[in-house]
């Protein structure tokens, strides 16, 4: 079974939308008429009372975690198999994770982001007030990780799962020792940290407002590399599956590709005409479970397009021009065959990567 998921960011709906595809998707929309999912194929996860900022499947795909402005995170159990009428009538099993100082008192600390560890045993959440929380898959609080004083937007486990990295508006990133729950190391930067991504088990990239990208290593007091080239806020950084190429996207509308071997970017893609908000590498190519498919990069932009790049060849492969509003989110299916995109136009599209 393939799982395809798009998080809908900054929209005014109060539910998580997820899409499970069991076999080849039908050609539902070769023409340009909008397609409405038949309600028989749709499962709506109701419960959040305000915007859902972020969602993530657990690595094995049976749990969906969601983070919301309503100050809760939730873990939904989504059964296997097609979404049939029996499944839809059953209320989905949901655990409500309250981002509280005490477990009983309501707060107004909205949950901005979340991330599963690679084993799917622990979920980390970050909040607007700078609280980092570690939960188990049964929704129980495991640790309070308190060091930040401002909103957390970047939060990632390393592959090994011994470090958790959080990046904050307070201009710091903290590497947490997961066992002790204490900061292993705090890194300070000249401006706000927007996104973080691990290159390997102890090196990571940090993207900042203003345009800088830093590469840091646990144990080193100074950044091991500085990438300058973006002219405005870097909205996302993402290492390719082998950890050799870093992609970044920015308010300056460009997508850039960096390598540790040089200081200037390898590629400077300028085909987007507005803010590029999100980028994702395909789970394909060397070192992935789909080694025979080429490695691709997808980007989503406020120019309403989704673009697919062949980075090795340094060129734009496809511009996908069906959205009518800013594209906030893109996600490849685990087999690399499909790309889903979500937009402020209230549409989600699922693209066949090959076509
Ligand atoms: C619906 O799916 C469940 C789980 O896959 C299965 O046990 C059940 O028989 C299905 N019901 C129908 C009406 O197909
Ligand atoms: C929780 O709320 C109760 C009642 O308002 C209050 O007495 C108590 O101190 C609060 N606990 C915490 C940890 O804020
Ligand atoms: C955060 O962690 C650093 C490094 O351990 C420490 O120096 C600093 O005092 C901590 N700040 C807060 C607010 O806990
Ligand atoms: C990181 O740690 C995991 C688990 O020990 C290991 O499988 C992986 O190869 C390591 N990655 C790198 C790049 O060293």
């Amino acid at each position: 079974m393939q799982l395809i998921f798009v998080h809908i960011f900054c929209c005014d709906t109060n539910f998580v939308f997820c899409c499970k595809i069991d076999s080849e998707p039908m050609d539902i929309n070769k023409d340009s008429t909008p397609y409405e999912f038949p309600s028989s194929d749709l499962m709506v996860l109701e419960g959040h009372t305000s915007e859902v900022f972020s969602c993530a499947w657990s690595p094995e795909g049976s749990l969906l975690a969601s983070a919301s402005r309503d100050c809760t995170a939730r873990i939904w159990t989504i059964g296997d198999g097609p979404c049939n009428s029996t499944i839809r009538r059953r209320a989905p099993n949901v655990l409500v994770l309250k981002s509280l100082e005490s477990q009983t008192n309501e707060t107004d600390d909205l949950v901005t982001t979340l991330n599963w560890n690679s084993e799917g045993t622990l979920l980390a959440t970050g909040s607007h007030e700078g609280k980092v929380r570690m939960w188990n898959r049964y929704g129980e609080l495991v640790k309070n990780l308190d060091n930040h004083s401002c909103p957390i937007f970047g939060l990632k486990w390393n592959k090994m799962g011994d470090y958790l990295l959080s990046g904050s508006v307070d201009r710091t990133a903290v590497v947490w020792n997961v066992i002790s729950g204490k900061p292993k190391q705090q890194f300070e930067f000249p401006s706000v940290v927007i996104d973080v991504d691990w290159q390997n088990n102890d090196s990571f990239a940090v993207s900042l407002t203003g345009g800088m990208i830093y590469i840091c290593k646990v144990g080193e007091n100074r950044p091991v590399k500085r990438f300058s080239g973006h002219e405005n806020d870097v909205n996302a950084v993402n290492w390719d599956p082998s950890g050799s190429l870093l992609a970044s996207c920015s308010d300056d509308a460009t997508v850039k590709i960096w390598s540790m071997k040089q200081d200037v970017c390898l590629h400077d893609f300028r085909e987007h005409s507005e803010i590029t908000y999100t980028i994702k590498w395909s789970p394909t190519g060397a070192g992935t479970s789909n080694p025979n498919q080429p490695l691709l990069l997808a980007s989503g932009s406020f120019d309403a397009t989704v673009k697919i790049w062949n980075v090795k060849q340094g060129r734009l492969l496809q511009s996908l021009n069906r959205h009518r509003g800013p594209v906030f989110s893109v996600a490849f299916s685990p087999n690399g065959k499909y790309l889903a995109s979500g937009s402020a136009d209230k549409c989600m599209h699922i693209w066949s990567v090959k076509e």
Side-chain angles (χ1 to χ4, degrees):
M1 185 182 64
Q2 302 138 20
L3 297 172
I4 294 183
F5 169 67
V6 174
H7 66 255
I8 301 178
F9 191 81
C10 295
C11 78
D12 56 1
T13 48
N14 299 339
F15 50 82
V16 174
F17 182 81
C18 66
C19 175
K20 301 188 80 168
I21 295 182
D22 301 292
S23 55
E24 299 296 305
M26 294 170 298
D27 278 336
I28 51 179
N29 197 5
K30 284 280 189 198
D31 58 31
S32 59
T33 51
Y35 176 82
E36 297 251 346
F37 266 99
S39 62
S40 60
D41 291 351
L42 199 62
M43 182 195 260
V44 179
L45 306 179
E46 287 177 279
H48 280 302
T49 55
S50 188
E51 289 146 76
V52 177
F53 290 129
S54 179
C55 305
W57 291 103
S58 60
E60 89 293 356
S62 65
L63 301 177
L64 182 75
S66 56
S68 167
R69 177 186 284 277
D70 71 8
C71 307
T72 69
R74 287 165 201 248
I75 298 178
W76 313 80
T77 303
I78 313 287
D80 269 346
C83 184
N84 63 24
S85 54
T86 318
I87 290 177
R88 276 186 300 108
R89 270 196 300 273
R90 227 184 287 147
N93 181 3
V94 59
L95 302 164
V96 180
L97 285 51
K98 295 192 172 165
S99 67
L100 302 181
E101 281 311 306
S102 89
Q103 286 283 293
T104 49
N105 290 14
E106 295 296 326
T107 72
D108 54 3
D109 188 12
L110 40 116
V111 187
T112 48
T113 183
L114 47 72
N115 191 238
W116 288 98
N117 69 352
S118 65
E119 291 186 333
T121 51
L122 294 169
L123 177 74
T125 59
S127 84
H128 194 258
E129 287 177 8
K131 312 281 188 218
V132 179
R133 299 279 178 269
M134 226 157 69
W135 314 81
N136 65 20
R137 56 192 281 125
Y138 311 105
E140 295 158 347
L141 184 66
V142 176
K143 283 211 165 72
N144 285 316
L145 310 179
D146 291 331
N147 192 272
H148 292 292
S149 52
C150 290
I152 311 277
F153 291 124
L155 188 65
K156 297 269 171 64
W157 298 86
N158 69 349
K159 183 97 178 290
M160 200 189 279
D162 55 343
Y163 296 145
L164 176 68
L165 172 63
S166 54
S168 169
V169 173
D170 67 13
R171 304 179 177 201
T172 71
V174 172
V175 172
W176 299 90
N177 180 320
V178 170
I179 304 289
S180 69
K182 298 273 184 288
K184 163 89 182 163
Q185 195 171 348
Q186 188 193 45
F187 297 82
E188 289 179 15
F189 300 99
S191 62
V192 164
V193 177
I194 303 178
D195 196 21
V196 297
D197 198 37
W198 290 94
Q199 177 185 20
N200 51 42
N201 288 321
D202 43 32
S203 294
F204 57 87
V206 171
S207 75
L208 304 182
T209 54
M212 286 300 292
I213 299 168
Y214 287 79
I215 311 298
C216 301
K217 189 168 187 213
V218 179
E220 302 277 343
N221 287 324
R222 304 176 60 79
V224 294
K225 199 103 186 156
R226 288 177 178 77
F227 290 136
S228 65
H230 280 299
E231 287 161 16
N232 208 333
D233 303 357
V234 182
N235 295 315
V237 277
N238 203 206
W239 286 99
D240 78 351
S242 68
S244 55
L245 297 176
L246 179 73
S248 60
C249 65
S250 164
D251 278 6
D252 71 10
T254 68
V255 171
K256 298 189 201 295
I257 310 293
W258 312 86
S259 153
M260 291 301 280
K261 294 180 190 142
Q262 61 184 62
D263 293 332
V264 293
C265 62
L266 281 178
H267 297 293
D268 187 5
F269 295 133
R270 294 182 168 265
E271 281 86 343
H272 280 298
S273 58
E274 302 267 355
I275 289 171
T276 50
Y277 190 74
T278 184
I279 36 166
K280 290 278 163 59
W281 291 96
S282 58
T284 53
T288 71
S289 48
N290 311 294
N292 299 322
Q293 297 169 54
L295 177 65
L296 301 172
L297 180 74
S299 57
S301 164
F302 282 24
D303 68 11
T305 71
V306 174
K307 297 194 195 293
I308 300 184
W309 313 87
N310 183 319
V311 172
K312 198 169 263 176
Q313 299 170 354
R315 68 187 182 99
L316 177 65
L317 281 184
Q318 288 285 345
S319 185
L320 309 174
N321 305 324
R322 189 161 281 175
H323 283 297
R324 291 182 190 84
V327 177
F328 288 123
S329 186
V330 292
F332 281 96
S333 60
N335 66 5
K337 286 187 182 166
Y338 308 110
L339 177 71
S341 58
S343 159
D345 69 4
K346 303 186 180 179
C347 288
M348 182 186 76
H349 292 306
I350 298 176
W351 313 86
S352 159
V353 170
K354 207 159 71 183
E355 291 164 40

